[in-house]
């Protein structure tokens, strides 16, 4: 009885302890791809209507407007700015919570191995379509029903959050180890049992980090949504900018920057604590 023939790869690369690198891609294909990228970038650059004369004046104009805004800020607008900023943060928080409640179960169904293939495909398509639409466009569609209220902004942030949280969620689920899942199935657990005891404990830290990061994004986006009149600090910025009250605009920008940086720092610290755990401290004997 003759021994089976060795695979072709083994015949080409005998076991000599030397790693054989993969073949390099054809140089012609790389050059063609590089040329195509350069053509697209240059074409996109030249298709934009740019006034080069005004572009040269941009640095001096930026300095002039910075001086108008921050040389003598109108601090009398600070109480109203803080109140409107709180409204924007509340809008972002409500949008984040609603997005979490909707996206979390959908991401479980969209993960490979936990939902039917047609359902997975449909949900992933929905997530992609939602991510392709900016929050401000979603808000314009929603305001035809709810009107110009902070609820419109919160709902727009929630809908847009479903797209990002859903994608992050099913990718995190598919990236966990298979040990806990197989253990639950070996013990006779059903599909819900697998999700509850095999999947959820593994992905909860990542989900918590995603939720906090989405809240950071929503805080910044809520200021942009104010530009269409749904309330918050963005609405105030639009009004005072249109009337060219630059001293008040400077105060509003200071409040926005300080609040956003503070929320980002607090959220970042919480996300690091969730993902890395508490740091060990040396105990003096």
């Amino acid at each position: 009885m003759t021994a089976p023939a060795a695979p072709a790869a083994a015949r080409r690369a005998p076991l000599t302890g030397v790693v054989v690198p993969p073949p390099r891609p054809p140089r012609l294909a790389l050059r063609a791809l590089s040329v195509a990228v350069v053509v697209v970038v240059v074409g996109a650059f030249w298709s934009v209507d740019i006034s080069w004369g005004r572009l040269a004046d941009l640095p001096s104009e930026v300095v002039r407007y910075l001086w108008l805004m921050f040389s003598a800020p109108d601090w009398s607008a600070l109480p109203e700015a803080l109140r409107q900023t709180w409204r924007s943060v509340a809008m972002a928080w409500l949008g984040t919570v609603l997005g979490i409640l909707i996206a979390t179960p959908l991401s479980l169904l969209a993960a490979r191995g936990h939902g039917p293939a047609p359902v997975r495909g449909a949900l992933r398509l929905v997530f992609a379509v939602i991510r392709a639409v900016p929050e401000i466009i979603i808000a314009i569609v929603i305001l035809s029903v709810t009107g110009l209220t902070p609820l419109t902004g919160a709902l727009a942030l929630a809908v847009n959050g479903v797209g990002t949280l859903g994608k992050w969620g099913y990718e995190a689920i598919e990236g966990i180890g298979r040990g806990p899942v197989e253990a639950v199935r070996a013990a006779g657990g059903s599909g819900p049992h697998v999700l509850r005891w095999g999947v959820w404990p593994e992905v909860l830290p990542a989900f918590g980090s995603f939720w906090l990061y989405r809240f950071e994004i929503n805080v910044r986006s809520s200021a942009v949504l104010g530009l269409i009149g749904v309330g918050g600090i963005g609405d105030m910025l639009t009004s005072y900018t249109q009337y060219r009250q630059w001293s008040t605009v400077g105060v509003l920008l200071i409040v926005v920057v300080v609040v956003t940086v503070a929320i980002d720092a607090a959220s970042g610290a919480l996300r690091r604590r969730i993902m890395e755990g508490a740091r060990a401290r040396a105990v003096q004997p």
Side-chain angles (χ1 to χ4, degrees), residues 174-222:
E174 292 177 353
I176 65 173
R178 305 304 301 172
V181 174
E182 296 301 330
V184 175
R185 286 175 176 167
S190 60
H193 291 146
V194 170
L195 292 175
R196 172 61 184 88
W197 303 108
V199 174
W200 186 247
E202 295 290 315
V203 300
L204 185 56
F207 272 41
S209 178
F210 295 156
W211 297 341
L212 289 171
Y213 184 55
R214 183 63 207 183
F215 175 60
E216 295 177 25
I217 296 173
N218 285 348
V219 169
R220 291 186 287 270
S221 299
S222 63

Side-chain angles (χ1 to χ4, degrees), residues 17-270:
V18 178
V19 178
V20 180
R24 296 183 61 182
R27 292 181 178 270
L28 181 60
L30 287 177
R31 290 175 180 174
L33 179 61
S34 301
V35 170
V37 171
V38 170
V39 169
V40 170
V41 171
V42 172
F45 181 81
W46 286 108
S47 63
V48 179
D49 187 12
I50 300 176
S51 177
W52 297 104
R54 299 197 62 181
L55 188 61
D57 298 332
L58 181 61
S60 60
E61 289 296 310
V62 170
V63 172
R64 184 170 75 89
Y65 280 106
L66 288 176
W67 174 259
L68 291 174
M69 288 188 290
F70 300 115
S71 61
D74 183 10
W75 294 107
S76 64
L78 182 61
E80 180 64 18
L82 293 174
R83 190 174 73 87
Q84 294 297 331
T85 302
W86 172 253
R87 178 174 291 183
S88 294
V89 173
M91 187 191 312
W93 177 256
L94 180 58
T96 304
V97 172
L98 291 176
I100 290 170
L101 294 177
I102 298 172
T104 301
L106 295 181
S107 63
L108 294 171
L109 290 175
R112 188 175 293 106
H114 301 285
V119 175
R120 291 201 310 269
L123 287 175
R124 295 187 182 203
L125 177 61
V126 170
F127 294 156
V129 171
I130 291 175
R131 292 196 307 276
V133 182
E135 293 98 336
I136 195 167
I137 302 300
I138 298 175
I140 291 173
V141 174
I142 294 176
L143 67 83
S144 62
V145 178
T146 59
L148 292 174
T149 64
L151 178 61
T152 302
L155 292 177
L157 294 173
V159 172
N160 192 264
V162 169
T164 54
L165 291 174
K167 177 180 173 58
W168 294 343
Y170 74 73
E171 288 181 347
I173 294 170
E174 292 177 353
I176 65 173
R178 305 304 301 172
V181 174
E182 296 301 330
V184 175
R185 286 175 176 167
S190 60
H193 291 146
V194 170
L195 292 175
R196 172 61 184 88
W197 303 108
V199 174
W200 186 247
E202 295 290 315
V203 300
L204 185 56
F207 272 41
S209 178
F210 295 156
W211 297 341
L212 289 171
Y213 184 55
R214 183 63 207 183
F215 175 60
E216 295 177 25
I217 296 173
N218 285 348
V219 169
R220 291 186 287 270
S221 299
S222 63
V224 178
L225 290 177
L227 300 178
I228 63 173
V230 297
I233 193 67
D235 196 0
M236 230 180 139
L237 273 169
T238 302
S239 300
Y240 284 101
T241 301
Q242 289 176 346
Y243 289 104
R244 299 183 179 277
Q245 298 183 17
W246 301 115
S247 59
T248 305
V249 172
V251 173
L252 300 181
L253 291 178
I254 291 173
V255 171
V256 169
V257 170
V258 170
V259 172
T260 303
V261 170
I263 291 176
D264 287 353
S267 178
L270 285 174

